[in-house]
Amino acid sequence: MFKQQSTGGFALPAAVFALVVVGVLVTGGFYLARQETRIGVASERSLEAFYMAERGANEVMSEWDMSTYGALTPWTSSYTSKAVDGGVWVAGVTKMTNRLYLILSQGVLTEGMDVLGYGHRMTGYVARMDSPKMDIRAALSTVGNLTVGGSSVINGNDSIPPGWDGLCDPPAQAAPGILIDSMKNITKDGNKHETFGKPAIKEDNGLTSDSLLAFGEDLWNELTAMADKVYSDGQYVKQMHQDSVFLNGSYICSSADNWAVPRFNWGDPYNPKGACGSYFPVIYARGDLIVEAHDYGQGIMLVEGNLTFKGGFEFFGPVIVKGEVITEGTGGHFRGGLVAANVSLNASSVLGDALIQYSTCAVSRAVLNSALTRVRPLENRGWVDLSAVISG
């Protein structure tokens, strides 16, 4: 008898093989789906972190703290952070030059970090201080009548104020001591007064009060609208104070005026590295302003009416007066530039021991540290995504 050969066992291996193939396909599908989900979540979190970093940089620029960042020396940094919904941004500001800053802002997504992973991005900006140009063309610019006498000095040779070395560019070329619409409007009282510059006195028949009040695109109304200090007509100023308060481990300038005394805070030009050394308020008097104090201040002064300086008061920065300027007794000291638009065509008088010293340094620092200056990224190549640097 012939023995029958077995044909069983083929179906089972085929079935097992099919199950393995299906398992691999299912597993691969799940793996790919999971990877797609993780990539999607990571991309979404990365984008959220990017917007967080952008937010940090924009908030730093929109709320620019000139008292902190302006006081930095070149290539030193200051850091700030803020907790926001879902995470935190950390921004570092590095001063490159007096007008150029590098802003590095990192967004860190902390919400869901234990489950969804770490999300972070970093952006970098090169930002520039953008400010209107104060076209101060002489130590004293005026139209109408001008009386110069006493022991007054009007000096158009550019000068850096005492203690401000290293804070400004080198002195520029000399400007006229006096710029006036007509030489015939000048009256000299005595022979002790001195006027210096290149030339000492310059006549410009086309000079008008309107042209003196225009500074590029920023006209008088725009300037006064940005004022930090606004005083009513006839304000009398007798005493200054440069107070500071201790906050979060450091001293900051207490910029408010103290009306109980009253005392005023117009910054501290003789201590440029102090708490109030970078405080340059825009000061606006709606009418006449009388300053009688053996004291000092800094900033940008705008006077709607007449300005009277006496008692040896010193002011650092541009002073623009619509009416007349009067100095009496020991007079006042102006370091920067004085513009007397003299709309009323009354006589401005520079008498006593008054000093009007042309200083591009005082003007530029006052404008740079004031509310007139804005921080803006460079138009070309001012932004970069630095996320790869922090991700390794």
Side-chain angles (χ1 to χ4, degrees):
M1 295 184 65
F2 294 98
K3 186 177 182 180
Q4 187 177 2
Q5 293 182 346
S6 177
T7 58
F10 175 78
L12 182 60
V16 172
F17 178 76
L19 289 174
V20 170
V21 170
V22 171
V24 170
L25 291 176
V26 171
T27 303
F30 276 117
Y31 176 79
L32 291 176
R34 186 180 179 213
Q35 287 295 97
E36 287 291 332
T37 301
R38 293 182 64 182
I39 291 172
V41 171
S43 297
E44 183 179 352
R45 289 176 64 80
S46 177
L47 188 61
E48 290 181 25
F50 173 78
Y51 288 138
M52 203 171 289
E54 287 277 274
R55 176 177 175 177
N58 288 327
E59 286 194 20
V60 166
M61 287 187 282
S62 64
E63 301 172 6
W64 190 257
D65 184 2
M66 194 61 198
S67 62
T68 298
Y69 305 137
L72 294 173
T73 56
W75 300 109
T76 60
S77 304
S78 176
Y79 295 90
T80 184
S81 63
K82 184 178 181 180
V84 294
D85 292 340
V88 62
W89 58 258
V90 181
V93 178
T94 301
K95 185 176 185 178
M96 295 189 290
T97 68
N98 286 335
R99 287 188 173 271
L100 282 178
Y101 290 82
L102 174 63
I103 303 171
L104 300 179
S105 179
Q106 182 176 358
V108 181
L109 201 61
T110 57
E111 186 177 30
M113 185 173 63
D114 294 338
V115 176
L116 301 175
Y118 187 60
H120 57 86
R121 294 286 291 275
M122 177 182 283
T123 59
Y125 285 89
V126 177
R128 180 178 177 82
M129 307 296 292
D130 187 13
S131 53
K133 182 181 179 181
M134 281 281 184
D135 190 18
I136 305 297
R137 292 177 282 172
L140 171 61
S141 304
T142 188
V143 295
N145 299 317
L146 172 65
T147 301
V148 181
S151 300
S152 62
V153 176
I154 303 175
N155 193 350
N157 295 310
D158 196 11
S159 168
I160 295 178
W164 287 22
D165 293 331
L167 299 176
C168 301
D169 295 330
Q173 294 181 347
I178 298 174
L179 176 64
I180 196 166
D181 56 335
S182 175
M183 295 279 196
K184 297 178 182 179
N185 292 337
I186 300 177
T187 300
K188 297 182 179 181
D189 184 2
N191 54 14
K192 292 184 179 180
H193 56 83
E194 295 180 291
T195 302
F196 305 98
K198 189 177 181 180
I201 302 175
K202 182 178 179 179
E203 182 182 66
D204 183 354
N205 301 130
L207 207 60
T208 65
S209 57
D210 289 338
S211 65
L212 285 176
L213 291 177
F215 301 93
E217 297 179 357
D218 293 82
L219 303 176
W220 177 265
N221 291 336
E222 293 174 313
L223 293 171
T224 56
M226 299 178 184
D228 303 291
K229 311 273 188 177
V230 180
Y231 302 118
S232 58
D233 183 18
Q235 180 66 57
Y236 188 82
V237 178
K238 184 70 176 177
Q239 187 178 7
M240 292 282 122
H241 75 112
Q242 292 82 27
D243 289 348
S244 59
V245 295
F246 192 74
L247 183 66
N248 296 329
S250 62
Y251 286 95
I252 63 172
C253 186
S254 178
S255 58
D257 294 334
N258 184 354
W259 291 102
V261 177
R263 298 187 304 168
F264 303 82
N265 187 356
W266 292 355
D268 192 354
Y270 279 103
N271 187 16
K273 295 184 179 180
C276 293
S278 296
Y279 178 55
F280 288 79
V282 178
I283 302 160
Y284 173 49
R286 290 194 170 121
D288 295 346
L289 178 64
I290 303 153
V291 183
E292 182 181 6
H294 188 64
D295 223 319
Y296 44 81
Q298 62 187 9
I300 299 173
M301 184 177 291
L302 310 167
V303 182
E304 197 81 41
N306 301 328
L307 174 64
T308 301
F309 263 27
K310 48 189 175 181
F313 186 80
E314 295 184 79
F315 191 81
F316 295 66
V319 177
I320 305 149
V321 183
K322 272 193 173 182
E324 59 185 278
V325 176
I326 302 168
T327 65
E328 299 177 357
T330 52
H333 291 184
F334 302 84
R335 298 183 184 273
L338 173 59
V339 177
N342 213 352
V343 173
S344 62
L345 298 182
N346 292 326
S348 291
S349 59
V350 182
L351 303 173
D353 297 327
L355 169 67
I356 303 177
Q357 174 66 58
Y358 179 69
S359 175
T360 57
C361 176
V363 172
S364 63
R365 282 202 75 212
V367 174
L368 186 64
N369 288 274
S370 74
L372 304 180
T373 297
R374 296 289 183 267
V375 182
R376 294 183 173 89
L378 296 183
E379 292 184 5
N380 298 317
R381 300 185 180 182
W383 175 90
V384 64
D385 187 353
L386 297 171
S387 302
V389 176
I390 58 172
S391 63

